[in-house]
Amino acid sequence: MAAKLKKGDKVVVLAGKDKGKQGEITSVSPKTGKAVVDGVNMAIRHTRQSQQSQGGRLPKAMPIDLSNLALLDKNGKATRVGFKMEGDKKVRYAKTTGEVI
């Protein structure tokens, strides 16, 4: 199945402790059906000090399920993603506005 959400998309969280928060997708794992979004689903991770980093308790964005995310359209509202053919290419578009993403 084609990917509805990709790296770099602006999304809003639909469910969970971060419901309503917005962010940009930094990575997607299609095999597990999860994505990492900036500033969403943050957890504290203890890291050891090294020559490059200070170490300590650092916040880290954890993966969130793709079903709990929705794409933001140009009006800043959550929208579903559809696919249509333009010429011989398959393109994604926002269902609410019809704009090509």
Side-chain angles (χ1 to χ4, degrees):
M1 192 168 128
K4 294 191 177 206
L5 298 174
K6 295 182 177 182
K7 180 179 176 178
D9 285 345
K10 304 276 189 227
V11 294
V12 62
V13 180
L14 299 176
K17 67 177 183 178
D18 294 321
K19 182 177 179 178
K21 284 190 182 178
Q22 299 177 3
E24 184 175 328
I25 296 179
T26 56
S27 68
V28 178
S29 175
K31 196 171 195 177
T32 60
K34 293 181 183 280
V36 176
V37 182
D38 281 337
V40 175
N41 200 21
M42 300 299 284
I44 299 293
R45 289 290 172 252
H46 300 304
T47 57
R48 186 178 295 272
Q49 184 177 0
S50 67
Q51 288 183 339
Q52 290 83 22
S53 65
Q54 179 64 29
R57 296 174 41 145
L58 302 176
K60 179 182 178 186
M62 301 304 286
I64 187 169
D65 204 82
L66 289 174
S67 64
N68 294 333
L69 300 174
L71 192 69
L72 285 174
D73 62 2
K74 62 183 176 185
N75 301 327
K77 302 221 182 228
T79 184
R80 290 182 292 161
V81 178
F83 294 95
K84 63 182 174 183
M85 297 298 288
E86 284 192 354
D88 57 346
K89 287 186 128 183
K90 185 192 233 183
V91 295
R92 298 183 308 154
Y93 73 98
K95 292 261 189 164
T96 56
T97 60
E99 68 172 322
V100 175
I101 304 164

